[in-house]
Amino acid sequence: MGGLVSLTKLCFLPPDNLFVLKTLKTFESRIISYFRGSLNASIMALKCGIVGLPNVGKSTLFNCLSNAKAQSANFPFCTIEPNVGVINVPDERLNKLSELVNPQKVQAATVEIVDIAGLVKGASQGEGLGNQFLGNIRECHAILHVLRCFDDDNIVHVDGSVDPIRDKEVIDYELQIKDLETVDKAIEKIQRQVKIGDKEAAKEYELLKTYKETLEAGKAARTVQLEEKNREIGENLFLLTNKPILYVCNVDEGSVQNGNKHVECVKEMVAAENAEVIVVGAGIESEITELTDPDEREMFLGELGLEEPGVNRLIRQAYSLLDLRTYFTAGEKEVRAWTIHAGDTAPQAAGVIHTDFEKGFIRAEVIAYNDYVSLGSENAVKEAGKLKVEGKEYEVQDGDVMHFRFNV
C-alpha cells in the first residue's frame, strides 16, 4: 500500500505536466478500486423486497427488522423511496462458537431488506407509483409479500375492507401483466430466428410460449417446472413472478401463535404456488423491539407464548428463500458467519472472503459444527482426529467451520 501513498503525494505536486498528473490520478483510482473490489468481490448484494398494498404493515415490519425508522402513517404511499436495511441473520451457532472462542469481534451473516412503496390497481400501467414499484421489485432477488390478516377499524384499507386474498390477487395481477409484456417482447424478438431454423431459438421459443400460457391463466411464472437445461433461459428473462416469494401474514396479537381465518385462506390459496407462508404480528413485534432489557423481552415473549420474536424467524426464512447457506471462520481475532449459495464448493466459499483465496486455493481444513461444539475447541477436534482436509471438489455444508490454505 506504500505505493498508493507516494502516488497520492505526487498528485499534490505543482501541475507542471497536467497529462502526467491526470494519468497518475487515474492509475491511483484504479489501484484503490482493485483493493476495494477484490475483498468480498464475489458477494453480490442479496436483496429481499417487502411488498404489499398500502397500509398492510410493510413499513412497521421493516422497522422491526432493521431498527431503521422508516416513516409509517395511516395513508397510502407513505413510503415513496425504498428504505434499505442490512439485517443480521440470527444464528445461535454463531453465538455458541463465540462463547467457546471468545474472539475480539463477532460478525453475523447479513441479508438486505428493501421496503418498497405500496402498490395499487393499475400499477402495470403506471398508476400510483407503479413503474417505480415494479422497478424496485426487479432489483430484488426475492419477495416478502405482506398481507393484512387483521381487522382494525382504526386503520384504513385502501380498498375499504380486509381481504388478504383480494389483496394478493391485486399484486399478482399487476406483476403478471408486466411479465406478460416481457414475454411477448421476447417472443416477438425471437420469432425471426425460429423461422430460419435456429434450434436453440426454437427451444427458447417453446419455453416462452409456456410462460405466456401460464401468465395468461393467472398463474405465476415460478409455477412452471423448468428442466435444468432451460433454467438459465428462465433466469435471463428476469420475470417478476419468477422470484422466490414468502407470504407474510400480518396478524393481531391474539393470532401470532395459531393464526386466524385470514391466514388459513392464504395458506389454502398458495398451496400450489411453490411458496411459503409465515405468521407475524408487526404491531406486537414493534413493541418487542422497544424492550432493551433481555429479561423483560423474554417475559413478554413468554406471555405471548413465543420462544423468540417473529422477525427472527422471518429473517431466517428470507435467508433460506434466497437459497443461502452459512459457514464459519473462528479465531481469536474474529468469529464470523459467511454467506454462500447452496452447493458452493470450497474454492467458491473461500472466494467470498477474498478473490485471491479462490484463485490460489490449495485446500480447506474443515470442522463440522457439531464436532466443534461437542469437543469445545479446535485443538480438541484435531486431537480427536475430526478435522478434515478437503480439496477443490468439496461441497461446503451449512455450519462448517473452515480454514483455507492458498497461494498466489
Side-chain angles (χ1 to χ4, degrees):
M1 298 297 287
L4 289 180
V5 175
S6 62
L7 278 173
T8 304
K9 287 179 179 178
L10 279 171
C11 289
F12 288 99
L13 292 173
D16 296 329
N17 189 325
L18 190 58
F19 173 77
V20 171
L21 288 179
K22 283 183 177 179
T23 303
L24 286 170
K25 287 179 181 179
T26 301
F27 180 52
E28 178 186 13
S29 67
R30 287 178 179 174
I31 293 175
I32 293 171
S33 295
Y34 167 78
F35 280 100
R36 284 177 178 169
S38 61
L39 186 62
N40 297 342
S42 63
I43 302 177
M44 181 170 57
L46 295 164
K47 297 181 181 180
C48 284
I50 301 180
V51 305
L53 294 183
N55 288 1
V56 297
K58 296 185 294 79
S59 294
T60 301
L61 185 62
F62 175 83
N63 289 339
C64 297
L65 286 166
S66 65
N67 291 324
K69 297 303 178 184
Q71 183 188 10
S72 58
N74 190 20
F75 55 86
F77 308 127
C78 174
T79 307
I80 297 176
E81 294 297 330
N83 298 288
V84 180
V86 178
I87 316 299
N88 287 338
V89 179
D91 195 328
E92 280 303 315
R93 298 174 301 179
L94 183 68
N95 299 335
K96 187 63 180 178
L97 288 172
S98 300
E99 290 173 9
L100 294 173
V101 178
N102 192 27
Q104 298 172 20
K105 182 182 176 183
V106 178
Q107 178 65 55
T110 60
V111 65
E112 202 166 285
I113 305 291
V114 185
D115 177 26
I116 299 172
L119 174 146
V120 294
K121 292 177 184 177
S124 58
Q125 307 302 319
E127 290 294 325
L129 299 169
N131 290 329
Q132 184 174 327
F133 173 95
L134 295 167
N136 290 332
I137 292 180
R138 199 176 297 280
E139 293 172 3
C140 293
H141 302 88
I143 299 172
L144 307 179
H145 186 164
V146 182
L147 295 166
R148 178 172 169 174
C149 294
F150 66 90
D151 298 298
D152 188 337
D153 293 337
N154 294 317
I155 301 178
V156 298
H157 190 287
V158 70
D159 286 326
S161 62
V162 176
D163 185 345
I165 302 305
R166 178 200 59 211
D167 296 352
K168 175 185 177 303
E169 289 175 342
V170 168
I171 288 187
D172 285 351
Y173 176 79
E174 299 301 333
L175 299 185
Q176 288 162 13
I177 289 297
K178 205 66 180 177
D179 280 350
L180 196 53
E181 287 180 16
T182 300
V183 170
D184 282 338
K185 287 178 182 177
I187 288 175
E188 186 180 343
K189 186 176 179 180
I190 206 172
Q191 279 178 328
R192 184 180 176 186
Q193 294 171 263
V194 175
K195 287 178 180 178
I196 61 174
D198 188 322
K199 292 183 179 180
E200 290 302 315
K203 291 178 184 177
E204 186 172 342
Y205 179 69
E206 290 302 315
L207 178 59
L208 288 168
K209 282 202 305 181
T210 301
Y211 274 131
K212 182 177 175 65
E213 291 166 3
T214 300
L215 292 164
E216 287 179 337
K219 298 178 182 178
R222 77 181 68 87
T223 62
V224 174
Q225 298 297 316
L226 291 178
E227 295 180 26
E228 190 62 37
K229 60 182 180 180
N230 290 331
R231 197 166 299 280
E232 186 177 349
I233 298 173
E235 290 174 354
N236 288 340
L237 289 169
F238 300 104
L239 299 178
L240 301 174
T241 64
N242 214 12
K243 296 178 184 293
I245 190 166
L246 174 63
Y247 290 101
V248 183
C249 293
N250 183 17
V251 300
D252 57 274
E253 180 178 334
S255 304
V256 290
Q257 264 192 295
N258 302 312
N260 55 32
K261 62 180 182 180
H262 295 309
V263 174
E264 292 307 312
C265 288
V266 172
K267 288 182 177 179
E268 185 178 337
M269 187 174 189
V270 306
E273 196 183 313
N274 191 25
E276 298 180 42
V277 177
I278 187 172
V279 177
V280 174
I284 204 69
E285 294 291 330
S286 182
E287 293 183 36
I288 293 171
T289 58
E290 296 297 326
L291 298 174
T292 55
D293 184 281
D295 293 332
E296 285 185 20
R297 178 178 288 202
E298 188 174 344
M299 185 170 64
F300 187 47
L301 288 169
E303 291 173 357
L304 295 170
L306 301 174
E307 294 182 2
E308 63 177 344
V311 292
N312 285 11
R313 291 184 292 109
L314 176 56
I315 295 167
R316 284 198 297 271
Q317 280 196 246
Y319 191 76
S320 176
L321 190 65
L322 291 165
D323 206 21
L324 303 178
R325 300 293 184 269
T326 300
Y327 77 87
F328 303 97
T329 52
E332 292 181 359
K333 289 186 177 180
E334 181 183 66
V335 169
R336 180 163 183 166
W338 298 90
T339 299
I340 57 172
H341 291 91
D344 278 357
T345 60
Q348 289 172 316
V352 171
I353 299 176
H354 198 291
T355 51
D356 284 350
F357 282 32
E358 181 173 4
K359 291 174 183 175
F361 178 89
I362 299 172
R363 65 180 183 272
E365 296 174 358
V366 184
I367 303 172
Y369 170 79
N370 288 336
D371 289 339
Y372 200 113
V373 171
S374 62
L375 294 170
S377 70
E378 185 176 326
N379 286 335
V381 170
K382 290 178 180 177
E383 290 172 3
K386 295 286 187 178
L387 185 146
K388 299 180 294 181
V389 177
E390 302 286 358
K392 292 182 178 181
E393 302 303 316
Y394 177 69
E395 187 175 305
V396 179
Q397 302 301 301
D398 189 52
D400 278 351
V401 182
M402 307 184 74
H403 292 297
F404 300 102
R405 304 294 179 186
F406 70 101
N407 181 34
V408 289

